[in-house]
Amino acid sequence: MSATSDYAYSELVQGLEESTLNASPAEAHGLLCGLLCAGAPEAEAIWGRELFTQGEQGAQPLELPPPLRTLADLARAELEGEDLALTLVLPEEDAPLRERAEGLYDWARGFILGLGLAGLKAEALSDQAREVLGDLVEITRMDLESLEGLEGSADGDEEEGALIELREFLWVAARLLHEETGHPRG
């Protein structure tokens, strides 16, 4: 799995330079996916407002920087497509362990924020979807400090495997919640 479909993580960092939310590309993508998965009307407009005016009501609609506009279009197309695609925006696989863990943490945090901004109510979900929401919240409680110095050690190998599982879980969680909220594929 690559960091993004068409843009390098660093290009997305540049697209977010003016963001008042100070979001990483992973958090910004998670936020957008949360909005889309919960079926927020005008998800991209809400996303832009949240990123660049911190959700200020009545803020003028803004033109998203090109890398973010493309990312929004790709995320929507992937979630609405028939092939179960969803490329999570995360640091490259050769990035340090801590940086990749922070990316997963940021993505989960953004996704939860997006679900909340869209007004998703946990009580309207199935037991399985509510459990997934609880697991997402647990991810945002991950102790990132404990990952220092693990790169290349036996414990680092364990953490590496855990990150792969976590990335797969985030993908499954997004797909499940998208379908659960009445947005079937294709």
Side-chain angles (χ1 to χ4, degrees), residues 87-131:
T87 305
L88 302 181
V89 173
L90 299 168
E92 296 293 336
E93 289 183 17
D94 61 353
L97 182 70
R98 167 123 186 206
E99 185 178 329
R100 288 179 289 131
E102 286 175 351
L104 291 166
Y105 168 88
D106 284 351
W107 197 95
R109 193 172 69 184
F111 188 72
I112 292 168
L113 176 60
L115 295 174
L117 288 172
L120 183 71
K121 303 287 184 226
E123 56 273 1
L125 299 173
S126 69
D127 290 343
Q128 181 184 21
R130 281 195 303 274
E131 184 178 331

Side-chain angles (χ1 to χ4, degrees), residues 28-45:
H29 186 251
L31 172 61
L32 174 62
C33 288
L35 289 163
L36 291 169
C37 286
E42 301 180 14
E44 291 88 342

Side-chain angles (χ1 to χ4, degrees), residues 65-88:
L68 298 181
R69 177 75 258 157
T70 299
L71 180 63
D73 293 343
L74 288 170
R76 181 176 286 283
E78 285 182 338
L79 282 167
E80 293 175 356
E82 293 182 23
D83 61 359
L84 288 177
L86 178 60
T87 305
L88 302 181

Side-chain angles (χ1 to χ4, degrees), residues 42-78:
E42 301 180 14
E44 291 88 342
I46 296 168
W47 184 55
R49 235 183 1 260
E50 194 64 29
L51 289 176
F52 294 99
T53 65
Q54 291 189 328
E56 182 182 312
Q57 292 300 321
Q60 292 295 322
L62 55 104
E63 187 69 29
L64 291 171
L68 298 181
R69 177 75 258 157
T70 299
L71 180 63
D73 293 343
L74 288 170
R76 181 176 286 283
E78 285 182 338

